[in-house]
Amino acid sequence: MHFKNFEFVLVLANRPAGAPSIMDWRPFGGATLNEIIDKYNNDYVEYFRTIAKWTDQDIEEKGKFLAVANYDLSEVERIDFAKYSTMTFVFANLEDISSTWMAAEHVKRGMNYAHQVYYLVQLSKPLRPSERDRFLPSFVLPSRPQVIDDQVKLEEWLAGLGQIHRDAIDGATPPPNPGGGGGSGGPHGPGGRAPSGHSSGGDSSIQADLPAGKSKSHSWTQVLAGYRADDLTGFKPSVSGRPRRSLMDIATEVRDIAYQKRLSREETKALARKAVLQEEFLEYVRASVVHNLDLKTDDVLILDGLRKPMEQITINDSYFPVTDTIELLTVKLAEPIITLSREQSKLCSDLRLNKQNSRAIFVGRPETLKTIEKLKSTVETRLMRLSVPFDATDLLL
């Protein structure tokens, strides 16, 4: 198969003598790194085929797999910082990096430049103390254990992380029957052993406390099944021309948060459901605003002021509809951007109005209204009352 979407592994290790590339490195004297990565990818293919029921074409087009970046330790200082946005994993041979300080420093700067999550996997046999601090303050999620001294442990850690990702995909995909469960439970089934770093709590661990006098009649699972019963493995293009996040991108972010917070499998699925619905809701808002406003072809709608960061979303499956309407505030510049004072430019930047043709959308929070009031005639505002398909209060800032 010819995979198209990869998360790259940057290897901080010396290339074996006489070997053509770092992919031939044997971390523990057994399998090569490339063979270990291939095993991880093959497990993914098996999941997509047998559990998710994807076609081979869907797997090639939409699956997200691991690949080794073709750099060894002697070459990392020549890596352009822009390439760090394609990398997700850093495998560090502690023996090799102990003799070079600048390579690790360069990697840390590149990671900070990309400003994203990285998994730091420290490898050493015999076991050495962790050197995680050498990569801080970049945002790294260390493997568990932080230093791995055995091939089986490395494969188990990768398999555990893969299981979290599959749980996120499973939760983000609507069940076949509205009101049904959150999917098949992954390739190991509902009773499968929880992977490393992923606890095995069941439904009872994610239920919210019910308000007094109310019974649980809805769930986010039902909302997802009822709102989009069709295939969510790929989203349609955005109404305003901006690309939408794919299901796999959402599942990857859910994986990172679930790993960091040690969420149970059901919590991971619950978060994935709500993350997909957040994307669907924002697209609904975008389409409604496009319909109600007189927008030019090159106008850009900015919804980042509505999106609650995923790590702040409440992780539960209980759904209590509160309202079927929402008040939104659209803001755009009323004067040329080049005429703004330094203070006005800063305030506009806080509102994400960095271009003349931008329109930012907000819920009318007090701090937002205060910023708009300071700008006075510099911006134009419009209040819109929008009927919504489901209550997304928990998904908005």
Side-chain angles (χ1 to χ4, degrees), residues 144-306:
R144 298 171 184 147
Q146 288 197 29
V147 181
I148 296 176
D149 63 346
D150 179 83
Q151 180 178 323
V152 173
K153 293 178 183 177
L154 175 59
E155 291 176 344
E156 287 180 346
W157 180 80
L158 285 170
L161 192 67
Q163 179 66 68
I164 299 174
H165 203 180
R166 291 192 289 270
D167 285 339
I169 296 168
D170 191 32
T173 305
N177 298 313
S184 60
H188 298 295
R193 183 171 64 89
S196 173
H198 204 39
S199 57
S200 57
D203 284 337
S204 62
S205 67
I206 64 168
Q207 299 305 320
D209 293 333
L210 302 183
K214 287 194 174 183
S215 62
K216 179 173 181 257
S217 58
H218 294 81
S219 71
W220 285 98
T221 304
Q222 291 171 308
V223 176
L224 178 58
Y227 185 58
R228 282 291 300 274
D230 56 320
D231 180 20
L232 288 179
T233 56
F235 289 145
K236 296 181 179 68
S238 165
V239 174
S240 67
R242 293 184 63 182
R244 301 177 66 178
R245 293 195 302 168
S246 70
L247 171 64
M248 294 302 292
D249 288 338
I250 293 173
T252 299
E253 186 176 354
V254 171
R255 175 200 67 188
D256 298 344
I257 293 171
Y259 181 84
Q260 180 186 9
K261 293 187 174 183
R262 298 177 181 264
L263 302 184
S264 71
R265 298 185 67 179
E266 289 304 325
E267 287 173 327
T268 300
K269 294 175 188 178
L271 179 59
R273 285 190 285 271
K274 297 177 81 169
V276 168
L277 280 166
Q278 182 189 60
E279 200 70 20
E280 294 290 345
F281 185 84
L282 292 177
E283 187 62 18
Y284 178 86
V285 170
R286 191 194 308 274
S288 300
V289 170
V290 168
H291 178 74
N292 285 284
L293 295 178
D294 181 22
L295 299 180
K296 298 181 176 59
T297 304
D298 60 346
D299 282 351
V300 177
L301 291 175
I302 302 171
L303 278 74
D304 293 341
L306 293 177

Side-chain angles (χ1 to χ4, degrees), residues 15 87 96 131 154 161 233 269 271 277 318 323 327 375 391 394:
R15 178 164 51 90
M87 300 176 189
D96 289 348
E131 296 200 30
L154 175 59
L161 192 67
T233 56
K269 294 175 188 178
L271 179 59
L277 280 166
S318 301
T323 178
E327 287 190 347
L375 287 167
D391 178 24
D394 188 39

Side-chain angles (χ1 to χ4, degrees), residues 46-65:
E46 181 67 16
Y47 164 79
F48 287 132
R49 279 179 175 163
T50 62
I51 304 299
K53 305 299 184 184
W54 286 16
T55 65
D56 283 357
Q57 182 178 355
D58 281 339
I59 293 172
E60 291 183 1
E61 294 285 339
K62 301 168 185 174
K64 185 174 286 189
F65 299 90

